[in-house]
């Protein structure tokens, strides 16, 4: 079905940061962003932490709250830009005292606590590379990433150290220092609190060059073993500009990005971008809980909220409604990470009075590339248009589903409505500069002057992009090609369906058969009648590519960053090894 477009009232359009899209695209230059963010200690240097923190700490906004941290017990703690400058200086001094050298990797394994922000920014100030790990990882994924990234330093807590790191420490020869946040130090570790208290609060940030390494981010592991994507200091130009355009971010905002800084979204937009804008970032130590989230939005007067489709779908499923809370401050809502089904966009409009703005990017792109903008009408289901400064295209695909490269050349699709591999012209500052220790894979990600994203999309006649699926995730059923996402979306339109995961199951006749796993909303029973109803509903919407099999599953496997892990559904269905499950969310 086609969904009605959602227009924006004149006063919303007039107030948006980006009002004239066509003009901005024509006139955009990254050099302008570079000039705006200059004024750093020395000439050609560019350091993310200085742009994010020191720039504001040295100016009239030094007393503004940089981080409002909400602890597990709902208490709010504020840290000003001045305080953040001082603590990150201390952390940078500590690294130098420990003999950690420029370019060395500093890993964090922490929940959302203030020390995480101090360590990440302090690391970059010291010219080292920060690699954040999600704190719920088990020992094996931690070991694998620390080994691959040859981490010199790990910042964690005593409890996490005892449970997850102590047993693998001897297998990590490059790990020279473990810094523990809170509690007593263990043997072979340093207590961070006293060490920071003793460190000098003044520090001249290392004059990193724009192309010096700053961040090492591991991908979500949705399609296989996670890859380490390396980003450089000038990525901050993209964080800054894209937050202004795609999230409509302003200096006075109370900004809440719900992603954990262990993922690229939580670092680019949960730490760096709100600070470069001089806004206040909200950090919530607690986990997802509908009531808790509504309370944070309301009590903290959140103005801009950046979250994920799964979380929004869970809020839609919840008995509590946005109308039960005072969300008057909320101005802009955006989502990323997975396809955003139109129902959620419309739910936002009806329940919050604000549509949800989908945007698209990847760990590799470092920042938002395609987005629905504050001043533009929304076509529910579309990812929006490429941001100014970003050139996106669609490439003809070969039999393996990826862009067809013939004699080093690819063919760009210009006709509207035709599916192709989504590709980007290199040149935006936050493009990854390497897959850590995998130069071959990095080289394979480029062809004929394009970065090949591995996603498939189509473009309508007005230049809006529509997500189709992952290039290697296509189901071939009885001569038809179908992306799981299209089938999932069709099922999500049924009122009983809260979430769906779709796979291709080998079938001797059809090649593959479309099988759906469905999570029901509260109030619906997994009856045989409902199962038949959903199959019929799917057939009506999709015809030949509708699911032939459908089972109910209240616990679909998700990555910790909130994506349905279809490869795991498939492996389980076929009784095959589960592969890398390091990023699998474990319920409870
Ligand atoms: P891995 O690369 O390890 O398999 P991953 O691709 O899920 O994991 P991320 O870099 O976190 O790791 O996610 C980027 C991917 O998420 C995109 O390539 C795309 O497939 C999906 N994605 C992101 N935003 C959207 C969106 N708005 N709509 C649809 N899909 C999206
Ligand atoms: Mg990926």
């Amino acid at each position: 079905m086609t969904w009605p477009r959602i227009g924006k009232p004149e006063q919303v359009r007039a107030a948006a940061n980006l009002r004239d899209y066509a003009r901005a695209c024509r006139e955009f230059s990254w050099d302008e962003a570079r000039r705006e963010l200059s004024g750093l200690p020395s000439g050609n240097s560019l350091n993310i932490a200085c742009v994010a923190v020191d720039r504001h700490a040295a100016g009239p906004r030094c007393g503004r709250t940089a981080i409002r941290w909400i602890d597990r017990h709902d208490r709010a703690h504020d840290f000003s830009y001045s305080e953040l400058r001082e603590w990150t200086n201390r952390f940078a001094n500590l690294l130098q005292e420990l003999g950690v050298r420029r370019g060395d990797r500093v890993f964090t394994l922490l929940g959302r606590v203030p020390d995480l922000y101090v360590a990440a920014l302090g690391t970059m100030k010291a010219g080292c590379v920060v690699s954040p790990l999600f704190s719920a990882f088990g020992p094996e994924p931690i070991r694998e990433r620390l080994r691959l990234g040859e981490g010199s330093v790990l910042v964690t807590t005593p409890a996490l150290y005892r449970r997850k790191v102590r047993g693998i420490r001897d297998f990590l020869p490059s790990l020279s220092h473990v810094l523990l946040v809170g509690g007593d130090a263990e043997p072979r570790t340093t207590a961070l609190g006293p060490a920071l208290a003793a460190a000098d609060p003044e520090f001249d940030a290392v004059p990193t060059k724009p192309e010096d390494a700053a961040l090492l981010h591991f991908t979500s592991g949705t399609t296989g073993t996670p890859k380490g994507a390396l980003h450089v200091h000038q990525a901050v130009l993209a964080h800054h500009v894209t937050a202004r355009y795609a999230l409509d971010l302003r200096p006075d905002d109370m900004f809440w990005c719900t992603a954990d800084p262990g993922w690229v979204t939580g670092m680019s937009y949960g730490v760096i971008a709100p600070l470069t804008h001089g806004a206040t970032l909200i950090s919530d130590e607690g986990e997802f809980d509908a009531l808790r989230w509504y309370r944070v939005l309301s009590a903290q007067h959140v103005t801009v909220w950046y979250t994920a489709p799964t979380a929004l779908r869970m809020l839609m499923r919840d008995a509590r409604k946005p109308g039960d809370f005072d969300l008057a401050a909320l101005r802009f809502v955006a989502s990323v990470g997975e396809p955003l089904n139109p129902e959620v966009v419309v739910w936002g409009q009806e329940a919050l009075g604000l549509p949800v703005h989908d945007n698209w990017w990847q760990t590799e792109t470092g920042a938002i590339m395609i987005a629905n903008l504050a001043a533009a009408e929304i076509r529910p289901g579309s990812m929006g248009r490429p941001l100014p400064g970003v050139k996106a295209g669609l490439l003809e695909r070969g039999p393996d589903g990826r862009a067809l490269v013939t004699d080093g050349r690819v063919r760009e699709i210009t006709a509207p409505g035709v599916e192709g591999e989504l590709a980007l012209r290199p040149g935006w500052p936050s493009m990854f500069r390497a897959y850590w220790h995998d130069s071959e894979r990095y080289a394979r990600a480029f062809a004929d002057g394009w970065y090949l994203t591995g996603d498939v999309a189509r473009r309508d006649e007005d230049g809006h992009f529509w997500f189709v699926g992952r290039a290697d995730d296509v189901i071939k059923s009885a001569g038809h090609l179908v992306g799981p996402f299209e089938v999932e979306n069709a099922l999500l339109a049924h009122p009983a369906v809260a979430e769906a995961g779709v796979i291709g199951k080998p079938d001797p006749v059809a090649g593959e058969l479309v099988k759906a796993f469905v999570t029901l909303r509260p109030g619906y029973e997994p009856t045989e009648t409902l199962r038949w109803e959903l199959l019929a509903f799917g057939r009506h919407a999709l015809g030949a590519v509708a699911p032939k099999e459908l089972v109910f599953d209240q616990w679909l496997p998700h990555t910790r960053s909130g994506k349905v892990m279809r490869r795991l559904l498939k492996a389980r269905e076929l009784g095959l090894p589960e592969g890398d499950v390091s990023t699998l969310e474990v319920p409870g």
Side-chain angles (χ1 to χ4, degrees), residues 219-223 227 337-339 358-359 362-363 455 470 563:
T219 60
S220 290
T222 312
T223 53
K227 309 163 278 260
E338 266 213 307
D358 188 19
N359 55 54
Q362 311 177 302
T363 309
D455 284 344
R470 307 217 180 205
K563 303 164 195 253

Side-chain angles (χ1 to χ4, degrees), residues 317-351:
R317 268 159 79 172
D318 199 82
R320 277 150 300 212
K321 299 289 163 244
D324 305 341
F325 303 84
D326 177 7
L327 307 181
L330 201 55
R331 187 183 87 236
F332 192 81
V333 184
S335 140
V336 72
E338 266 213 307
L340 184 70
N341 47 307
E343 286 79 4
V344 184
V345 182
V346 173
W347 171 81
Q349 180 69 33
E350 285 167 2

